Amino acid sequence: MQRVRIAPQTGYGLKLKRGQVLRIIDPEGEQVSDVMAFAAGDKAEKLSSGRSIDYNNTIYLTAGHVLYSSRSRPMFTILEDTVGRHDFLLTPCSPETFEILYEGHEGYHPSCLENLAKNLGPFGIDEDDIPTTFNVFMNVAVSPGGELNIGPPLSKAGDHVDLRAEMDLVVGVTACSAEKSNNGSFKPIEIEVRER
Amino acid sequence: MQRVRIAPQTGYGLKLKRGQVLRIIDPEGEQVSDVMAFAAGDKAEKLSSGRSIDYNNTIYLTAGHVLYSSRSRPMFTILEDTVGRHDFLLTPCSPETFEILYEGHEGYHPSCLENLAKNLGPFGIDEDDIPTTFNVFMNVAVSPGGELNIGPPLSKAGDHVDLRAEMDLVVGVTACSAEKSNNGSFKPIEIEVRER
């Protein structure tokens, strides 16, 4: 079992076999990791926020919940979760995110969408294939009126989430690039693939 | 300007030119209409709940808000909205929705996903292309703990929403098939394409 370090503002792509567990670790605390998954060999079947939120009847998925594909099949089961607050509403930050939402922003900014596309490219997946991601450790509150409030992640150094693959998968993982998601600093993410 | 009636538990597909306005009308009240849109001529660019929620900073989109594509370009502007409560979190009901969420359900059940796919098929779009839809008149509350609560639509007979196309589009519209979304009854939806 090897631990892979994903440098700040970068991403990583990997294959998971059914039954393997992907551990996503926040080594320093208050960092976000956008996760996207596709059925191995058929990128038309992908992680679906809408199906997952609907079938679990909550926007906050945590240990015991199942993440579903666009074809309503289980993709991941969350086995362990030492934080309990993740986002499944928002798309990964993109170059346009910084233009539209970051006042005073100018020039190039790294983004999770680009980092997912770059690292999933070798598996035949491109930017247009990437919808709303499962944003591990991202802390988004919704007011009764529907307004979003993005707070610092609740994760502390060493916190982790374990995702068991329920089918063979291609997975993209990032160390998030957006200042507003990780309390203004950029940190690494670490992952492990565990056999169970 | 012709009014089209979409029969209960069915759907409709159409093209919109940039600048045209799609009016979605609930003729009897308490009915839901799932709406999906693709860029004309390039189905890889599609309506994105994640981008729209992020850029408007709310889960409840209404008059004045812009609905964005997966490439962060404006697809629709909501011009008028006599209801003010619509859902943009959930995928259209599918055969699996009824198996997973409807206790005691048996046998075939019509669904918005099938009705969108059937009516978008002639435009080259299939079921796998359809993500989270803009669910007009669907009334989904989110508790502070993240739990979803699907209530009867707030729409009364004759209420409507006007969506101005910000690019040439292919659009699918349904009269929803799910009992839990429309207070237990199935009703038609009506649409008009208006020139402005």
Side-chain angles (χ1 to χ4, degrees), chain B residues 4-153:
Chain B
V4 175
R5 185 176 180 277
I6 304 174
Q9 298 189 299
T10 71
Y12 191 76
L14 72 158
K15 285 189 173 184
L16 282 181
K17 283 287 184 193
R18 180 178 174 179
Q20 287 182 320
V21 174
L22 176 65
R23 173 165 289 188
I24 298 165
I25 304 142
D26 183 352
E28 301 179 10
E30 293 193 344
Q31 174 58 310
V32 166
S33 176
D34 289 5
V35 175
M36 188 56 210
F38 298 82
D42 187 359
K43 71 175 186 177
E45 182 167 16
K46 61 180 78 170
L47 191 61
S48 169
S49 58
R51 299 262 159 235
S52 301
I53 288 172
D54 199 6
Y55 299 154
N56 291 286
N57 202 48
T58 178
I59 62 168
Y60 296 129
L61 285 87
T62 183
H65 287 135
V66 172
L67 279 60
Y68 286 85
S69 80
S70 50
R71 292 183 190 154
S72 296
R73 298 199 302 159
M75 281 199 134
F76 289 116
T77 299
I78 305 180
L79 296 185
E80 291 183 25
D81 177 2
T82 64
V83 177
R85 174 57 64 97
H86 317 286
D87 171 67
F88 213 174
L89 301 182
L90 302 177
T91 30
C93 60
S94 70
E96 296 82 5
T97 306
F98 299 101
E99 286 166 23
I100 295 172
L101 292 180
Y102 282 64
E103 210 172 320
H105 164 69
E106 278 182 33
Y108 178 75
H109 195 298
S111 69
C112 283
L113 182 61
E114 285 187 343
N115 285 326
L116 286 170
K118 188 190 300 179
N119 289 281
L120 289 168
F123 302 98
I125 292 155
D126 61 29
E127 207 168 278
D128 280 328
D129 297 319
I130 300 169
T132 299
T133 40
F134 184 54
N135 305 308
V136 174
F137 309 128
M138 188 175 185
N139 180 14
V140 179
V142 180
S143 78
E147 196 185 334
L148 303 183
N149 206 313
I150 301 177

Side-chain angles (χ1 to χ4, degrees), chain A residues 103-121:
Chain A
E103 210 172 318
H105 165 71
E106 279 182 31
Y108 177 74
H109 196 298
S111 69
C112 284
L113 181 62
E114 285 188 343
N115 286 326
L116 286 170
K118 189 191 299 179
N119 289 282
L120 290 168

